[in-house]
Amino acid sequence: MHDPTLDETRDPLLIAEGWMNDGRSVAVATVVETWGSAPRPVGSHLVIDEEGNFHGSVSGGCVEGAVVAEAVDIIETGKPRMLEFGVADETAWQVGLSCGGRIKVYVERLG
Amino acid sequence: MDPLSLKKINAERRARRAAILVTDLSDGRDRVVREGDAVAGELGGAVLKAFRSGRSGTVEAEGRLFFLNVHLPPPRLVVIGAVHISQALAPMAKIAGYDMEIVDPRTAFATPERFPDVRLFADWPETVLKDRPFDAYTAVAAVTHDPKIDDFALKAALDADCFYIGALGSRKTHAKRIERLAAMGASEAAIARIHSPIGLDIGASSPAEIAVAVLAEVIAAFRSRGLAQEAESRAA
């Protein structure tokens, strides 16, 4: 049975707020655009702390590793970045989406 | 992201209110817009559209690129009456992504055996609503056929501006219901929002078919939220 209230233990934005209150440095990654068969809808979040712990997802697990690595850097510099992922062999990225879609992910520091 | 924006958007989401986190993608600045807040210009138009469709996306406005992340509360379906239609409706509503709950004070009807996977309240709507009030993201379907049970819930649904209100019954039954609701203080315009006979007219006859008709009507109402009021205000 699904409760219409938010799941405090799984909701990325609630977790981000909890981490912030604990004094941890946090980055928020958001899917802002998708083309083709993207695994997670626009608006999906992945939250990352400075140690690389994360919650949520921006893909079906294909690019999370790369986003987490970028996020740790973004937490340090404070400069937001727009990342784009497509199929692995067509982009400069080491990782990609095996489903053949493309996604744009906006990664920013909280605060 | 501004920590204050995060706190604000989470507070809105916890309170089951619709809100959009607007991020200016050129400089990363963001703010929270609540449904009904006035936003000027091109961005205002995009915000209205996003609230209606519930879809997040990137928009260009005033020569800048904005990302609108729309957070709508999950739509809730409250069914007054633990009857045969509700038994068919429960699994369908779940598949369609609507959180369904059932209220019926008749404990012989509202049994966990008859409704294994539904949030069930074997109590009067008057009592249940105290802790779980209706809101604009709630649909209410009254299907007990018993005014003692249905009427209070229908009046509460009108007062809370629920996005869908339906009531089972023939046109004759509904005519009497209109009189009773008017006596309870509901305006004519408000009463006109009640769908009765309940459900889209697809010639449904079995309880399961009626459940399909009701769910389809709920979905239609949810996806066109606010459109009727806008058309009215344009006409006025």
Side-chain angles (χ1 to χ4, degrees), chain A residues 1-2 8 11 13 17 32 43 45 106 108-109 111, chain B residues 1 3 10 13-14 28 58 67 69 74 99 118-119:
Chain A
M1 194 162 52
H2 177 69
E8 300 270 344
D11 185 282
L13 288 188
E17 191 178 337
V32 294
H45 290 294
Y106 185 69
E108 60 190 319
R109 186 172 73 181
Chain B
M1 188 187 287
N10 280 344
R13 294 168 70 225
R14 285 190 177 102
T58 309
F67 180 66
N69 207 347
D99 291 299
V118 193
R119 190 174 287 110

mmCIF file with all atom_site columns, all heavy atoms in Angstrom, chain A residues 1-2 8 11 13 17 32 43 45 106 108-109 111, chain B residues 1 3 10 13-14 28 58 67 69 74 99 118-119:
data_model
loop_
_atom_site.group_PDB
_atom_site.id
_atom_site.type_symbol
_atom_site.label_atom_id
_atom_site.label_alt_id
_atom_site.label_comp_id
_atom_site.label_asym_id
_atom_site.label_entity_id
_atom_site.label_seq_id
_atom_site.pdbx_PDB_ins_code
_atom_site.Cartn_x
_atom_site.Cartn_y
_atom_site.Cartn_z
_atom_site.occupancy
_atom_site.B_iso_or_equiv
_atom_site.pdbx_formal_charge
_atom_site.auth_seq_id
_atom_site.auth_comp_id
_atom_site.auth_asym_id
_atom_site.auth_atom_id
_atom_site.pdbx_PDB_model_num
ATOM 1   N N   . MET A 1 1   ? 0.847  -1.192 0.000   1.00 0.00 ? 1   MET A N   1
ATOM 2   C CA  . MET A 1 1   ? 0.000  0.000  0.000   1.00 0.00 ? 1   MET A CA  1
ATOM 3   C C   . MET A 1 1   ? 0.887  1.248  0.000   1.00 0.00 ? 1   MET A C   1
ATOM 4   O O   . MET A 1 1   ? 1.752  1.397  0.835   1.00 0.00 ? 1   MET A O   1
ATOM 5   C CB  . MET A 1 1   ? -0.907 -0.040 1.217   1.00 0.00 ? 1   MET A CB  1
ATOM 6   C CG  . MET A 1 1   ? -2.030 0.943  1.128   1.00 0.00 ? 1   MET A CG  1
ATOM 7   S SD  . MET A 1 1   ? -3.344 0.524  2.294   1.00 0.00 ? 1   MET A SD  1
ATOM 8   C CE  . MET A 1 1   ? -2.440 0.373  3.829   1.00 0.00 ? 1   MET A CE  1
ATOM 9   N N   . HIS A 1 2   ? 0.636  2.099  -0.964  1.00 0.00 ? 2   HIS A N   1
ATOM 10  C CA  . HIS A 1 2   ? 1.458  3.283  -1.140  1.00 0.00 ? 2   HIS A CA  1
ATOM 11  C C   . HIS A 1 2   ? 0.827  4.452  -0.398  1.00 0.00 ? 2   HIS A C   1
ATOM 12  O O   . HIS A 1 2   ? -0.354 4.720  -0.543  1.00 0.00 ? 2   HIS A O   1
ATOM 13  C CB  . HIS A 1 2   ? 1.553  3.569  -2.638  1.00 0.00 ? 2   HIS A CB  1
ATOM 14  C CG  . HIS A 1 2   ? 2.296  4.794  -2.963  1.00 0.00 ? 2   HIS A CG  1
ATOM 15  N ND1 . HIS A 1 2   ? 3.645  4.899  -2.765  1.00 0.00 ? 2   HIS A ND1 1
ATOM 16  C CD2 . HIS A 1 2   ? 1.892  5.974  -3.455  1.00 0.00 ? 2   HIS A CD2 1
ATOM 17  C CE1 . HIS A 1 2   ? 4.024  6.103  -3.144  1.00 0.00 ? 2   HIS A CE1 1
ATOM 18  N NE2 . HIS A 1 2   ? 2.984  6.771  -3.558  1.00 0.00 ? 2   HIS A NE2 1
ATOM 19  N N   . GLU A 1 8   ? 10.080 9.862  3.456   1.00 0.00 ? 8   GLU A N   1
ATOM 20  C CA  . GLU A 1 8   ? 11.222 10.635 3.971   1.00 0.00 ? 8   GLU A CA  1
ATOM 21  C C   . GLU A 1 8   ? 12.550 9.888  3.799   1.00 0.00 ? 8   GLU A C   1
ATOM 22  O O   . GLU A 1 8   ? 13.605 10.506 3.766   1.00 0.00 ? 8   GLU A O   1
ATOM 23  C CB  . GLU A 1 8   ? 11.011 10.957 5.458   1.00 0.00 ? 8   GLU A CB  1
ATOM 24  C CG  . GLU A 1 8   ? 9.766  11.784 5.760   1.00 0.00 ? 8   GLU A CG  1
ATOM 25  C CD  . GLU A 1 8   ? 10.013 13.287 5.739   1.00 0.00 ? 8   GLU A CD  1
ATOM 26  O OE1 . GLU A 1 8   ? 11.185 13.701 5.788   1.00 0.00 ? 8   GLU A OE1 1
ATOM 27  O OE2 . GLU A 1 8   ? 9.027  14.049 5.670   1.00 0.00 ? 8   GLU A OE2 1
ATOM 28  N N   . ASP A 1 11  ? 13.041 9.898  -0.615  1.00 0.00 ? 11  ASP A N   1
ATOM 29  C CA  . ASP A 1 11  ? 12.866 11.067 -1.472  1.00 0.00 ? 11  ASP A CA  1
ATOM 30  C C   . ASP A 1 11  ? 14.163 11.882 -1.523  1.00 0.00 ? 11  ASP A C   1
ATOM 31  O O   . ASP A 1 11  ? 14.629 12.372 -0.495  1.00 0.00 ? 11  ASP A O   1
ATOM 32  C CB  . ASP A 1 11  ? 11.720 11.917 -0.912  1.00 0.00 ? 11  ASP A CB  1
ATOM 33  C CG  . ASP A 1 11  ? 11.395 13.089 -1.812  1.00 0.00 ? 11  ASP A CG  1
ATOM 34  O OD1 . ASP A 1 11  ? 12.151 14.090 -1.764  1.00 0.00 ? 11  ASP A OD1 1
ATOM 35  O OD2 . ASP A 1 11  ? 10.423 12.988 -2.558  1.00 0.00 ? 11  ASP A OD2 1
ATOM 36  N N   . LEU A 1 13  ? 15.055 14.911 -2.504  1.00 0.00 ? 13  LEU A N   1
ATOM 37  C CA  . LEU A 1 13  ? 15.077 16.301 -2.033  1.00 0.00 ? 13  LEU A CA  1
ATOM 38  C C   . LEU A 1 13  ? 14.928 16.388 -0.509  1.00 0.00 ? 13  LEU A C   1
ATOM 39  O O   . LEU A 1 13  ? 15.478 17.292 0.119   1.00 0.00 ? 13  LEU A O   1
ATOM 40  C CB  . LEU A 1 13  ? 13.984 17.124 -2.720  1.00 0.00 ? 13  LEU A CB  1
ATOM 41  C CG  . LEU A 1 13  ? 14.218 17.453 -4.195  1.00 0.00 ? 13  LEU A CG  1
ATOM 42  C CD1 . LEU A 1 13  ? 13.159 18.426 -4.686  1.00 0.00 ? 13  LEU A CD1 1
ATOM 43  C CD2 . LEU A 1 13  ? 15.619 18.010 -4.446  1.00 0.00 ? 13  LEU A CD2 1
ATOM 44  N N   . GLU A 1 17  ? 17.832 17.795 2.148   1.00 0.00 ? 17  GLU A N   1
ATOM 45  C CA  . GLU A 1 17  ? 17.579 18.744 3.246   1.00 0.00 ? 17  GLU A CA  1
ATOM 46  C C   . GLU A 1 17  ? 18.132 18.190 4.566   1.00 0.00 ? 17  GLU A C   1
ATOM 47  O O   . GLU A 1 17  ? 18.738 18.923 5.350   1.00 0.00 ? 17  GLU A O   1
ATOM 48  C CB  . GLU A 1 17  ? 16.071 19.019 3.358   1.00 0.00 ? 17  GLU A CB  1
ATOM 49  C CG  . GLU A 1 17  ? 15.759 20.179 4.285   1.00 0.00 ? 17  GLU A CG  1
ATOM 50  C CD  . GLU A 1 17  ? 14.264 20.492 4.363   1.00 0.00 ? 17  GLU A CD  1
ATOM 51  O OE1 . GLU A 1 17  ? 13.511 20.138 3.429   1.00 0.00 ? 17  GLU A OE1 1
ATOM 52  O OE2 . GLU A 1 17  ? 13.859 21.090 5.368   1.00 0.00 ? 17  GLU A OE2 1
ATOM 53  N N   . VAL A 1 32  ? 17.249 17.556 -16.845 1.00 0.00 ? 32  VAL A N   1
ATOM 54  C CA  . VAL A 1 32  ? 16.514 18.713 -17.353 1.00 0.00 ? 32  VAL A CA  1
ATOM 55  C C   . VAL A 1 32  ? 16.019 18.513 -18.780 1.00 0.00 ? 32  VAL A C   1
ATOM 56  O O   . VAL A 1 32  ? 15.160 19.251 -19.253 1.00 0.00 ? 32  VAL A O   1
ATOM 57  C CB  . VAL A 1 32  ? 17.336 20.026 -17.269 1.00 0.00 ? 32  VAL A CB  1
ATOM 58  C CG1 . VAL A 1 32  ? 17.585 20.401 -15.819 1.00 0.00 ? 32  VAL A CG1 1
ATOM 59  C CG2 . VAL A 1 32  ? 18.636 19.914 -18.031 1.00 0.00 ? 32  VAL A CG2 1
ATOM 60  N N   . GLY A 1 43  ? 13.152 16.073 -14.508 1.00 0.00 ? 43  GLY A N   1
ATOM 61  C CA  . GLY A 1 43  ? 12.803 16.459 -13.138 1.00 0.00 ? 43  GLY A CA  1
ATOM 62  C C   . GLY A 1 43  ? 13.338 15.491 -12.099 1.00 0.00 ? 43  GLY A C   1
ATOM 63  O O   . GLY A 1 43  ? 13.308 15.794 -10.918 1.00 0.00 ? 43  GLY A O   1
ATOM 64  N N   . HIS A 1 45  ? 15.830 13.488 -9.669  1.00 0.00 ? 45  HIS A N   1
ATOM 65  C CA  . HIS A 1 45  ? 16.979 13.985 -8.917  1.00 0.00 ? 45  HIS A CA  1
ATOM 66  C C   . HIS A 1 45  ? 17.917 12.879 -8.444  1.00 0.00 ? 45  HIS A C   1
ATOM 67  O O   . HIS A 1 45  ? 17.489 11.769 -8.126  1.00 0.00 ? 45  HIS A O   1
ATOM 68  C CB  . HIS A 1 45  ? 16.508 14.720 -7.654  1.00 0.00 ? 45  HIS A CB  1
ATOM 69  C CG  . HIS A 1 45  ? 15.843 16.018 -7.924  1.00 0.00 ? 45  HIS A CG  1
ATOM 70  N ND1 . HIS A 1 45  ? 16.506 17.093 -8.462  1.00 0.00 ? 45  HIS A ND1 1
ATOM 71  C CD2 . HIS A 1 45  ? 14.570 16.422 -7.724  1.00 0.00 ? 45  HIS A CD2 1
ATOM 72  C CE1 . HIS A 1 45  ? 15.660 18.108 -8.570  1.00 0.00 ? 45  HIS A CE1 1
ATOM 73  N NE2 . HIS A 1 45  ? 14.480 17.723 -8.134  1.00 0.00 ? 45  HIS A NE2 1
ATOM 74  N N   . TYR A 1 106 ? 21.672 18.665 -15.028 1.00 0.00 ? 106 TYR A N   1
ATOM 75  C CA  . TYR A 1 106 ? 22.196 19.891 -14.433 1.00 0.00 ? 106 TYR A CA  1
ATOM 76  C C   . TYR A 1 106 ? 22.664 19.565 -13.017 1.00 0.00 ? 106 TYR A C   1
ATOM 77  O O   . TYR A 1 106 ? 21.895 19.043 -12.212 1.00 0.00 ? 106 TYR A O   1
ATOM 78  C CB  . TYR A 1 106 ? 21.098 20.953 -14.411 1.00 0.00 ? 106 TYR A CB  1
ATOM 79  C CG  . TYR A 1 106 ? 21.536 22.312 -13.928 1.00 0.00 ? 106 TYR A CG  1
ATOM 80  C CD1 . TYR A 1 106 ? 22.399 23.091 -14.696 1.00 0.00 ? 106 TYR A CD1 1
ATOM 81  C CD2 . TYR A 1 106 ? 21.069 22.831 -12.726 1.00 0.00 ? 106 TYR A CD2 1
ATOM 82  C CE1 . TYR A 1 106 ? 22.785 24.349 -14.274 1.00 0.00 ? 106 TYR A CE1 1
ATOM 83  C CE2 . TYR A 1 106 ? 21.453 24.092 -12.292 1.00 0.00 ? 106 TYR A CE2 1
ATOM 84  C CZ  . TYR A 1 106 ? 22.315 24.847 -13.080 1.00 0.00 ? 106 TYR A CZ  1
ATOM 85  O OH  . TYR A 1 106 ? 22.703 26.093 -12.662 1.00 0.00 ? 106 TYR A OH  1
ATOM 86  N N   . GLU A 1 108 ? 24.410 21.016 -9.532  1.00 0.00 ? 108 GLU A N   1
ATOM 87  C CA  . GLU A 1 108 ? 24.697 22.261 -8.816  1.00 0.00 ? 108 GLU A CA  1
ATOM 88  C C   . GLU A 1 108 ? 24.951 21.976 -7.346  1.00 0.00 ? 108 GLU A C   1
ATOM 89  O O   . GLU A 1 108 ? 24.495 20.956 -6.819  1.00 0.00 ? 108 GLU A O   1
ATOM 90  C CB  . GLU A 1 108 ? 23.511 23.232 -8.954  1.00 0.00 ? 108 GLU A CB  1
ATOM 91  C CG  . GLU A 1 108 ? 22.239 22.642 -8.373  1.00 0.00 ? 108 GLU A CG  1
ATOM 92  C CD  . GLU A 1 108 ? 20.981 23.435 -8.680  1.00 0.00 ? 108 GLU A CD  1
ATOM 93  O OE1 . GLU A 1 108 ? 21.037 24.661 -8.626  1.00 0.00 ? 108 GLU A OE1 1
ATOM 94  O OE2 . GLU A 1 108 ? 19.941 22.805 -8.929  1.00 0.00 ? 108 GLU A OE2 1
ATOM 95  N N   . ARG A 1 109 ? 25.682 22.876 -6.718  1.00 0.00 ? 109 ARG A N   1
ATOM 96  C CA  . ARG A 1 109 ? 25.923 22.730 -5.292  1.00 0.00 ? 109 ARG A CA  1
ATOM 97  C C   . ARG A 1 109 ? 24.749 23.316 -4.527  1.00 0.00 ? 109 ARG A C   1
ATOM 98  O O   . ARG A 1 109 ? 24.130 24.283 -4.978  1.00 0.00 ? 109 ARG A O   1
ATOM 99  C CB  . ARG A 1 109 ? 27.209 23.447 -4.888  1.00 0.00 ? 109 ARG A CB  1
ATOM 100 C CG  . ARG A 1 109 ? 27.599 23.199 -3.431  1.00 0.00 ? 109 ARG A CG  1
ATOM 101 C CD  . ARG A 1 109 ? 28.959 23.745 -3.124  1.00 0.00 ? 109 ARG A CD  1
ATOM 102 N NE  . ARG A 1 109 ? 28.949 25.212 -3.045  1.00 0.00 ? 109 ARG A NE  1
ATOM 103 C CZ  . ARG A 1 109 ? 30.046 25.935 -2.803  1.00 0.00 ? 109 ARG A CZ  1
ATOM 104 N NH1 . ARG A 1 109 ? 31.220 25.339 -2.676  1.00 0.00 ? 109 ARG A NH1 1
ATOM 105 N NH2 . ARG A 1 109 ? 29.965 27.245 -2.737  1.00 0.00 ? 109 ARG A NH2 1
ATOM 106 N N   . GLY A 1 111 ? 23.623 25.586 -1.850  1.00 0.00 ? 111 GLY A N   1
ATOM 107 C CA  . GLY A 1 111 ? 24.186 26.680 -1.058  1.00 0.00 ? 111 GLY A CA  1
ATOM 108 C C   . GLY A 1 111 ? 25.405 27.300 -1.696  1.00 0.00 ? 111 GLY A C   1
ATOM 109 O O   . GLY A 1 111 ? 25.908 26.856 -2.704  1.00 0.00 ? 111 GLY A O   1
ATOM 110 N N   . MET B 2 1   ? 21.805 25.316 -5.879  1.00 0.00 ? 1   MET B N   1
ATOM 111 C CA  . MET B 2 1   ? 20.445 25.523 -5.367  1.00 0.00 ? 1   MET B CA  1
ATOM 112 C C   . MET B 2 1   ? 20.511 26.265 -4.043  1.00 0.00 ? 1   MET B C   1
ATOM 113 O O   . MET B 2 1   ? 21.341 25.972 -3.190  1.00 0.00 ? 1   MET B O   1
ATOM 114 C CB  . MET B 2 1   ? 19.749 24.156 -5.178  1.00 0.00 ? 1   MET B CB  1
ATOM 115 C CG  . MET B 2 1   ? 18.276 24.266 -4.832  1.00 0.00 ? 1   MET B CG  1
ATOM 116 S SD  . MET B 2 1   ? 17.504 22.674 -4.399  1.00 0.00 ? 1   MET B SD  1
ATOM 117 C CE  . MET B 2 1   ? 17.417 21.878 -5.993  1.00 0.00 ? 1   MET B CE  1
ATOM 118 N N   . PRO B 2 3   ? 19.654 26.956 -0.427  1.00 0.00 ? 3   PRO B N   1
ATOM 119 C CA  . PRO B 2 3   ? 19.131 26.111 0.654   1.00 0.00 ? 3   PRO B CA  1
ATOM 120 C C   . PRO B 2 3   ? 17.708 26.503 1.060   1.00 0.00 ? 3   PRO B C   1
ATOM 121 O O   . PRO B 2 3   ? 16.894 25.650 1.402   1.00 0.00 ? 3   PRO B O   1
ATOM 122 C CB  . PRO B 2 3   ? 20.096 26.373 1.807   1.00 0.00 ? 3   PRO B CB  1
ATOM 123 C CG  . PRO B 2 3   ? 21.363 26.804 1.158   1.00 0.00 ? 3   PRO B CG  1
ATOM 124 C CD  . PRO B 2 3   ? 20.965 27.540 -0.088  1.00 0.00 ? 3   PRO B CD  1
ATOM 125 N N   . ASN B 2 10  ? 10.367 21.633 -0.307  1.00 0.00 ? 10  ASN B N   1
ATOM 126 C CA  . ASN B 2 10  ? 10.039 20.460 0.502   1.00 0.00 ? 10  ASN B CA  1
ATOM 127 C C   . ASN B 2 10  ? 8.828  20.717 1.398   1.00 0.00 ? 10  ASN B C   1
ATOM 128 O O   . ASN B 2 10  ? 7.995  19.834 1.593   1.00 0.00 ? 10  ASN B O   1
ATOM 129 C CB  . ASN B 2 10  ? 11.240 20.018 1.335   1.00 0.00 ? 10  ASN B CB  1
ATOM 130 C CG  . ASN B 2 10  ? 12.237 19.211 0.509   1.00 0.00 ? 10  ASN B CG  1
ATOM 131 O OD1 . ASN B 2 10  ? 11.902 18.739 -0.577  1.00 0.00 ? 10  ASN B OD1 1
ATOM 132 N ND2 . ASN B 2 10  ? 13.448 19.064 1.011   1.00 0.00 ? 10  ASN B ND2 1
ATOM 133 N N   . ARG B 2 13  ? 5.768  20.428 -0.702  1.00 0.00 ? 13  ARG B N   1
ATOM 134 C CA  . ARG B 2 13  ? 5.498  19.034 -1.053  1.00 0.00 ? 13  ARG B CA  1
ATOM 135 C C   . ARG B 2 13  ? 4.933  18.281 0.142   1.00 0.00 ? 13  ARG B C   1
ATOM 136 O O   . ARG B 2 13  ? 3.995  17.498 0.011   1.00 0.00 ? 13  ARG B O   1
ATOM 137 C CB  . ARG B 2 13  ? 6.783  18.369 -1.557  1.00 0.00 ? 13  ARG B CB  1
ATOM 138 C CG  . ARG B 2 13  ? 7.267  18.988 -2.880  1.00 0.00 ? 13  ARG B CG  1
ATOM 139 C CD  . ARG B 2 13  ? 8.671  18.544 -3.211  1.00 0.00 ? 13  ARG B CD  1
ATOM 140 N NE  . ARG B 2 13  ? 8.701  17.138 -3.575  1.00 0.00 ? 13  ARG B NE  1
ATOM 141 C CZ  . ARG B 2 13  ? 9.599  16.264 -3.118  1.00 0.00 ? 13  ARG B CZ  1
ATOM 142 N NH1 . ARG B 2 13  ? 10.536 16.654 -2.279  1.00 0.00 ? 13  ARG B NH1 1
ATOM 143 N NH2 . ARG B 2 13  ? 9.557  15.021 -3.489  1.00 0.00 ? 13  ARG B NH2 1
ATOM 144 N N   . ARG B 2 14  ? 5.474  18.537 1.337   1.00 0.00 ? 14  ARG B N   1
ATOM 145 C CA  . ARG B 2 14  ? 4.957  17.863 2.527   1.00 0.00 ? 14  ARG B CA  1
ATOM 146 C C   . ARG B 2 14  ? 3.514  18.257 2.803   1.00 0.00 ? 14  ARG B C   1
ATOM 147 O O   . ARG B 2 14  ? 2.724  17.473 3.303   1.00 0.00 ? 14  ARG B O   1
ATOM 148 C CB  . ARG B 2 14  ? 5.816  18.206 3.755   1.00 0.00 ? 14  ARG B CB  1
ATOM 149 C CG  . ARG B 2 14  ? 7.155  17.498 3.782   1.00 0.00 ? 14  ARG B CG  1
ATOM 150 C CD  . ARG B 2 14  ? 7.829  17.709 5.145   1.00 0.00 ? 14  ARG B CD  1
ATOM 151 N NE  . ARG B 2 14  ? 9.084  16.998 5.244   1.00 0.00 ? 14  ARG B NE  1
ATOM 152 C CZ  . ARG B 2 14  ? 10.277 17.582 5.117   1.00 0.00 ? 14  ARG B CZ  1
ATOM 153 N NH1 . ARG B 2 14  ? 10.374 18.876 4.906   1.00 0.00 ? 14  ARG B NH1 1
ATOM 154 N NH2 . ARG B 2 14  ? 11.386 16.860 5.217   1.00 0.00 ? 14  ARG B NH2 1
ATOM 155 N N   . GLY B 2 28  ? 22.172 29.798 -12.426 1.00 0.00 ? 28  GLY B N   1
ATOM 156 C CA  . GLY B 2 28  ? 21.917 28.847 -11.352 1.00 0.00 ? 28  GLY B CA  1
ATOM 157 C C   . GLY B 2 28  ? 21.012 29.352 -10.253 1.00 0.00 ? 28  GLY B C   1
ATOM 158 O O   . GLY B 2 28  ? 20.742 28.637 -9.292  1.00 0.00 ? 28  GLY B O   1
ATOM 159 N N   . THR B 2 58  ? 12.409 22.530 -19.801 1.00 0.00 ? 58  THR B N   1
ATOM 160 C CA  . THR B 2 58  ? 13.190 23.738 -20.007 1.00 0.00 ? 58  THR B CA  1
ATOM 161 C C   . THR B 2 58  ? 12.382 24.701 -20.879 1.00 0.00 ? 58  THR B C   1
ATOM 162 O O   . THR B 2 58  ? 11.797 24.283 -21.869 1.00 0.00 ? 58  THR B O   1
ATOM 163 C CB  . THR B 2 58  ? 14.503 23.385 -20.721 1.00 0.00 ? 58  THR B CB  1
ATOM 164 O OG1 . THR B 2 58  ? 15.125 22.314 -20.008 1.00 0.00 ? 58  THR B OG1 1
ATOM 165 C CG2 . THR B 2 58  ? 15.456 24.561 -20.754 1.00 0.00 ? 58  THR B CG2 1
ATOM 166 N N   . PHE B 2 67  ? 14.710 26.247 -16.132 1.00 0.00 ? 67  PHE B N   1
ATOM 167 C CA  . PHE B 2 67  ? 14.211 24.892 -15.939 1.00 0.00 ? 67  PHE B CA  1
ATOM 168 C C   . PHE B 2 67  ? 13.099 24.944 -14.899 1.00 0.00 ? 67  PHE B C   1
ATOM 169 O O   . PHE B 2 67  ? 13.285 25.473 -13.803 1.00 0.00 ? 67  PHE B O   1
ATOM 170 C CB  . PHE B 2 67  ? 15.312 23.934 -15.490 1.00 0.00 ? 67  PHE B CB  1
ATOM 171 C CG  . PHE B 2 67  ? 14.798 22.536 -15.294 1.00 0.00 ? 67  PHE B CG  1
ATOM 172 C CD1 . PHE B 2 67  ? 14.328 21.802 -16.379 1.00 0.00 ? 67  PHE B CD1 1
ATOM 173 C CD2 . PHE B 2 67  ? 14.736 21.967 -14.037 1.00 0.00 ? 67  PHE B CD2 1
ATOM 174 C CE1 . PHE B 2 67  ? 13.815 20.524 -16.209 1.00 0.00 ? 67  PHE B CE1 1
ATOM 175 C CE2 . PHE B 2 67  ? 14.229 20.681 -13.855 1.00 0.00 ? 67  PHE B CE2 1
ATOM 176 C CZ  . PHE B 2 67  ? 13.770 19.963 -14.949 1.00 0.00 ? 67  PHE B CZ  1
ATOM 177 N N   . ASN B 2 69  ? 10.881 22.746 -12.587 1.00 0.00 ? 69  ASN B N   1
ATOM 178 C CA  . ASN B 2 69  ? 10.654 21.409 -12.030 1.00 0.00 ? 69  ASN B CA  1
ATOM 179 C C   . ASN B 2 69  ? 9.334  21.437 -11.262 1.00 0.00 ? 69  ASN B C   1
ATOM 180 O O   . ASN B 2 69  ? 9.224  22.076 -10.223 1.00 0.00 ? 69  ASN B O   1
ATOM 181 C CB  . ASN B 2 69  ? 11.813 20.979 -11.132 1.00 0.00 ? 69  ASN B CB  1
ATOM 182 C CG  . ASN B 2 69  ? 11.939 19.461 -11.089 1.00 0.00 ? 69  ASN B CG  1
ATOM 183 O OD1 . ASN B 2 69  ? 11.041 18.743 -11.523 1.00 0.00 ? 69  ASN B OD1 1
ATOM 184 N ND2 . ASN B 2 69  ? 13.052 18.973 -10.591 1.00 0.00 ? 69  ASN B ND2 1
ATOM 185 N N   . PRO B 2 74  ? 0.693  13.860 -5.263  1.00 0.00 ? 74  PRO B N   1
ATOM 186 C CA  . PRO B 2 74  ? 0.094  12.705 -5.925  1.00 0.00 ? 74  PRO B CA  1
ATOM 187 C C   . PRO B 2 74  ? -1.415 12.753 -5.764  1.00 0.00 ? 74  PRO B C   1
ATOM 188 O O   . PRO B 2 74  ? -1.902 13.000 -4.658  1.00 0.00 ? 74  PRO B O   1
ATOM 189 C CB  . PRO B 2 74  ? 0.687  11.499 -5.178  1.00 0.00 ? 74  PRO B CB  1
ATOM 190 C CG  . PRO B 2 74  ? 1.332  12.040 -3.965  1.00 0.00 ? 74  PRO B CG  1
ATOM 191 C CD  . PRO B 2 74  ? 1.588  13.498 -4.171  1.00 0.00 ? 74  PRO B CD  1
ATOM 192 N N   . ASP B 2 99  ? -3.700 7.079  -5.488  1.00 0.00 ? 99  ASP B N   1
ATOM 193 C CA  . ASP B 2 99  ? -3.783 6.508  -4.153  1.00 0.00 ? 99  ASP B CA  1
ATOM 194 C C   . ASP B 2 99  ? -5.235 6.501  -3.740  1.00 0.00 ? 99  ASP B C   1
ATOM 195 O O   . ASP B 2 99  ? -5.856 7.546  -3.627  1.00 0.00 ? 99  ASP B O   1
ATOM 196 C CB  . ASP B 2 99  ? -2.966 7.352  -3.175  1.00 0.00 ? 99  ASP B CB  1
ATOM 197 C CG  . ASP B 2 99  ? -1.497 7.216  -3.452  1.00 0.00 ? 99  ASP B CG  1
ATOM 198 O OD1 . ASP B 2 99  ? -0.998 6.097  -3.363  1.00 0.00 ? 99  ASP B OD1 1
ATOM 199 O OD2 . ASP B 2 99  ? -0.869 8.234  -3.784  1.00 0.00 ? 99  ASP B OD2 1
ATOM 200 N N   . VAL B 2 118 ? -6.217 -1.904 0.241   1.00 0.00 ? 118 VAL B N   1
ATOM 201 C CA  . VAL B 2 118 ? -6.675 -0.515 0.226   1.00 0.00 ? 118 VAL B CA  1
ATOM 202 C C   . VAL B 2 118 ? -6.619 0.060  1.634   1.00 0.00 ? 118 VAL B C   1
ATOM 203 O O   . VAL B 2 118 ? -6.813 -0.669 2.613   1.00 0.00 ? 118 VAL B O   1
ATOM 204 C CB  . VAL B 2 118 ? -8.134 -0.423 -0.277  1.00 0.00 ? 118 VAL B CB  1
ATOM 205 C CG1 . VAL B 2 118 ? -8.506 1.013  -0.603  1.00 0.00 ? 118 VAL B CG1 1
ATOM 206 C CG2 . VAL B 2 118 ? -8.334 -1.311 -1.477  1.00 0.00 ? 118 VAL B CG2 1
ATOM 207 N N   . ARG B 2 119 ? -6.364 1.352  1.729   1.00 0.00 ? 119 ARG B N   1
ATOM 208 C CA  . ARG B 2 119 ? -6.448 1.999  3.029   1.00 0.00 ? 119 ARG B CA  1
ATOM 209 C C   . ARG B 2 119 ? -7.928 2.165  3.342   1.00 0.00 ? 119 ARG B C   1
ATOM 210 O O   . ARG B 2 119 ? -8.651 2.853  2.608   1.00 0.00 ? 119 ARG B O   1
ATOM 211 C CB  . ARG B 2 119 ? -5.735 3.356  3.001   1.00 0.00 ? 119 ARG B CB  1
ATOM 212 C CG  . ARG B 2 119 ? -5.582 3.955  4.383   1.00 0.00 ? 119 ARG B CG  1
ATOM 213 C CD  . ARG B 2 119 ? -4.754 5.224  4.370   1.00 0.00 ? 119 ARG B CD  1
ATOM 214 N NE  . ARG B 2 119 ? -3.353 4.938  4.156   1.00 0.00 ? 119 ARG B NE  1
ATOM 215 C CZ  . ARG B 2 119 ? -2.695 5.228  3.055   1.00 0.00 ? 119 ARG B CZ  1
ATOM 216 N NH1 . ARG B 2 119 ? -3.290 5.835  2.073   1.00 0.00 ? 119 ARG B NH1 1
ATOM 217 N NH2 . ARG B 2 119 ? -1.427 4.927  2.942   1.00 0.00 ? 119 ARG B NH2 1
#
